[in-house]
Amino acid sequence: MSWWRRVTRSDPKSVNAALTDALRATWAIGWQPVDVWQVVRRRLDGKATDFLVGAIAEEAAHYAEPTVHPRWRAQLAELDATRWWPATQCFTEAYAARKNLNDVDVLELAAQVLHLLRILPPQPTLLPPPGSHTGAPAREDPGVDPKLLAKIRGLLAKAESTQFDEEADAFFAKAQELMSKYSLERGALEAPAGDPAVRTGGRRLWLENPYLGAKSMLVGTVAKANRCRAVLQEDPGFVTVLGEETDLELVEVLTTSLLVQAGKAMLAAGRRVDHTGTSRTRSFRQAFLVSYAGRIGERLNEASQRAEAEVTEAIGETRLLPVLAAKEHAVQQLLDRHYPKLATRRVSISNAAGWHAGRAAADLAVLDARRALGN
């Protein structure tokens, strides 16, 4: 009996088994815990979302920790998908008791979640499903240096909190320079002679409406400046960023901060109406974000080029160029494998004032990170 048919039986254990099987089938077609949570959060309600987190915790309890990828475990922690009920009790029984629900209430919640899981389309597999991770500890990617990551996050936090655009611009530029320099130096150091190894992967970055297309352009500019590629899927609403693992981690940190900064700058620009009193706020903000993304891309590229020049001077072109070529080749191969039929999407704008305001917001000061930071 399939997991979908089993849910028609209202006993808690059958519903519990149906949820577990459905989640495993969802992981098998490329979805991850945060992805599913995002879909349920957007399409159902808070009760269903809370129920889903418990179901994910129940399913996750079946695996030994070493067989679950570290990033998968991090997503479980992010969702607080931890088992709060005794191992002798199934989740649906415990949930019903905790929320004072009867079997029909639980069945209704489960049916909503199961229906949504059932219609999810396959996605590229960016992480091994739980139970299949076999990476030996000695071979695991150590990730970005925690000290550097803390320094970058500190710079971005200052950029988000300052009221002075020139200061924010300088902090942001410094973060990008540190990211680029670290990535290039690490790639050169880790590459074996004549055969630069590239660990590629992907991240899904979820975006909020409105202005999804314009926001995705901002993600794309950050990705491109850091030798990654970005693919937007408007429904359900995420951008998949593909690249070398170190670059991906840094892009994720920078993108999260930059989206905050862009939103703050857009809101600070205020609302707009035309001479007849008709609201032009939506077209203004769309144009603002598109223009902002374009100019930020230029600034990111400038910062990356400075970092590349410094690394080239330090280690020489003969060591750096093979690393850059290997990254580009590996990322393109990954893109072709996961998305063989990509289409270019253009975001239209119809508000010149928004365009100029967005560019001005991204171009208020010359990038001089060292001077602004007192270096």
Side-chain angles (χ1 to χ4, degrees), residues 75-122:
Q75 289 190 31
L76 296 177
E78 181 182 342
L79 298 177
D80 195 22
T82 54
R83 194 171 187 165
W84 43 262
W85 58 95
T88 55
Q89 189 178 29
C90 75
F91 160 66
T92 48
E93 288 177 324
Y95 190 85
R98 189 182 208 189
K99 301 292 184 178
N100 196 26
L101 303 175
N102 58 39
D103 287 352
V104 175
D105 294 330
V106 173
L107 180 60
E108 183 179 349
L109 275 173
Q112 291 179 40
V113 171
L114 286 167
H115 174 70
L116 198 49
L117 295 179
R118 189 185 187 197
I119 63 175
L120 290 177

Side-chain angles (χ1 to χ4, degrees), residues 221-244:
T221 61
V222 178
K224 185 177 180 181
N226 289 280
R227 297 162 296 278
C228 298
R229 300 291 296 274
V231 180
L232 168 66
Q233 288 181 246
E234 284 192 89
D235 184 15
F238 59 74
V239 175
T240 302
V241 182
L242 303 175
E244 193 270 333

Side-chain angles (χ1 to χ4, degrees), residues 23 33 36-37 40 47-57 91 113 117:
L23 285 170
V36 174
W37 177 83
V40 172
K47 290 181 181 178
T49 306
D50 182 57
F51 182 77
L52 170 77
V53 171
I56 290 174
F91 160 66
V113 171
L117 295 179

